[in-house]
């Protein structure tokens, strides 16, 4: 199913080759996490708890909120595709909050 999704974003959605490569890497990272954590890799059985555990592991590893949100966007897109294809009935990403992005204050220039 992962290969069909990658073909879909490449040929139907016309994502750039770099984006397709990044999506593939992020999906592989998610599946690798499931295997390392002794969780079921059957995508129809993946729960929001498994995704939240992956989210927590990325934050503990020191990834920025921006990087984590990008990886979660990949999963959101993947699960929307799976729903469209009739593979899953419920999107587990609905119960996964995105980390808050840090807002930088504008830098002010002094009189001098």
């Amino acid at each position: 199913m992962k290969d069909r999704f990658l073909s879909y974003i490449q040929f139907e959605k016309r994502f750039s080759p770099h984006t397709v490569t990044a999506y593939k890497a992020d999906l592989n990272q998610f599946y690798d996490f499931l295997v390392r954590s002794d969780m079921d890799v059957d995508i129809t059985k993946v729960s929001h708890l498994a995704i939240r555990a992956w989210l927590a592991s990325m934050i503990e590893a020191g990834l920025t909120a921006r990087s984590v949100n990008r990886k979660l966007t990949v999963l959101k897109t993947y699960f929307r595709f799976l729903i469209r294809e009739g593979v899953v009935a419920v999107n587990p990403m609905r119960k996964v909050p995105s980390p808050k992005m840090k807002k930088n204050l504008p830098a002010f220039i002094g009189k001098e």
Side-chain angles (χ1 to χ4, degrees):
M1 188 50 62
K2 186 170 49 171
D3 292 333
R4 280 182 42 198
F5 170 69
L6 294 171
S7 293
Y8 166 75
I9 63 171
Q10 181 178 7
F11 298 115
E12 290 184 41
K13 298 297 277 180
R14 318 270 285 145
F15 285 14
S16 77
H18 293 295
T19 302
V20 173
T21 301
Y23 271 50
K24 181 178 181 179
D26 292 340
L27 285 175
N28 287 337
Q29 183 184 22
F30 176 65
Y31 278 104
D32 289 344
F33 171 79
L34 294 176
V35 170
R36 281 192 322 271
S37 302
D38 292 326
M39 295 183 192
D40 197 342
V41 294
D42 180 358
I43 199 65
T44 62
K45 296 178 183 173
V46 170
S47 72
H48 69 282
L49 298 174
I51 298 167
R52 283 180 171 214
W54 184 49
L55 175 109
S57 75
M58 290 186 289
I59 291 171
E60 287 174 8
L63 266 69
T64 64
R66 180 175 303 245
S67 296
V68 172
N69 281 328
R70 186 184 63 77
K71 291 175 185 295
L72 290 178
T73 297
V74 172
L75 281 187
K76 287 177 186 176
T77 306
Y78 186 44
F79 277 104
R80 278 196 304 263
F81 169 79
L82 294 173
I83 287 173
R84 194 178 122 243
E85 294 291 309
V87 176
V88 296
V90 178
N91 187 345
M93 290 301 297
R94 290 187 345 208
K95 295 184 179 180
V96 179
S98 297
K100 300 291 182 203
M101 299 283 283
K102 187 169 73 171
K103 294 181 183 177
N104 294 329
L105 295 174
F108 292 99
I109 300 174
K111 287 183 179 181
E112 300 162 2

